[in-house]
Amino acid sequence: SKASFTFIDIKVEGDTLIATVQYSGGCGNHEFEIETAGFLMKSLPPKQPIRISHRSDNDPCRSLIQEEIKFDLSSFRGTPDGITVLILENWPQHINYSY
């Protein structure tokens, strides 16, 4: 089932998006996935809406967990080389992904 979480920090190193997230739990499995949240906008530089989803098997625990999760961004390249601006759902700033 979908579970809520909060972004603490977002950074990009090379082709990797590093998201520091916080959620309540501590006992169950938690899975985070990255996916597109809309079509690539052909602006200059191109903009790609993305979202990170959090699924959990109804974790009964209520500890506040802070975790760093990493995602490969190479599938979100909007041009052969250059920069794509990632617009991450629930994160206020645009993220510059250069390659």
Side-chain angles (χ1 to χ4, degrees), residues 57-71:
D57 49 11
N58 298 318
D59 190 333
C61 294
R62 290 287 164 259
S63 299
L64 216 48
I65 310 289
Q66 194 164 307
E67 186 182 348
E68 197 177 76
I69 45 179
K70 298 183 177 184
F71 300 99

Side-chain angles (χ1 to χ4, degrees), residues 4-32:
S4 65
F5 69 101
T6 310
F7 290 115
I8 306 292
D9 187 45
I10 295 286
K11 59 187 179 203
V12 174
E13 290 178 4
D15 289 321
T16 306
L17 177 80
I18 302 165
T20 307
V21 298
Q22 186 172 285
Y23 56 89
S24 73
C27 309
N29 289 317
H30 292 264
E31 282 179 29
F32 289 88

Side-chain angles (χ1 to χ4, degrees), residues 2 5 7 17 19 21 30-36 50-55 69-72 76 88:
K2 289 207 166 193
F5 69 101
F7 290 115
L17 177 80
V21 298
H30 292 264
E31 282 179 29
F32 289 88
E33 287 175 3
I34 192 166
E35 60 192 9
T36 60
I50 59 171
R51 86 167 58 89
I52 292 173
S53 60
H54 174 207
R55 287 184 177 70
I69 45 179
K70 298 183 177 184
F71 300 99
D72 179 23
F76 299 120
L88 176 60

Side-chain angles (χ1 to χ4, degrees), residues 36-42 47-49:
T36 60
F39 293 107
L40 180 72
M41 298 173 225
K42 302 283 186 192
K47 295 184 174 76
Q48 175 65 62

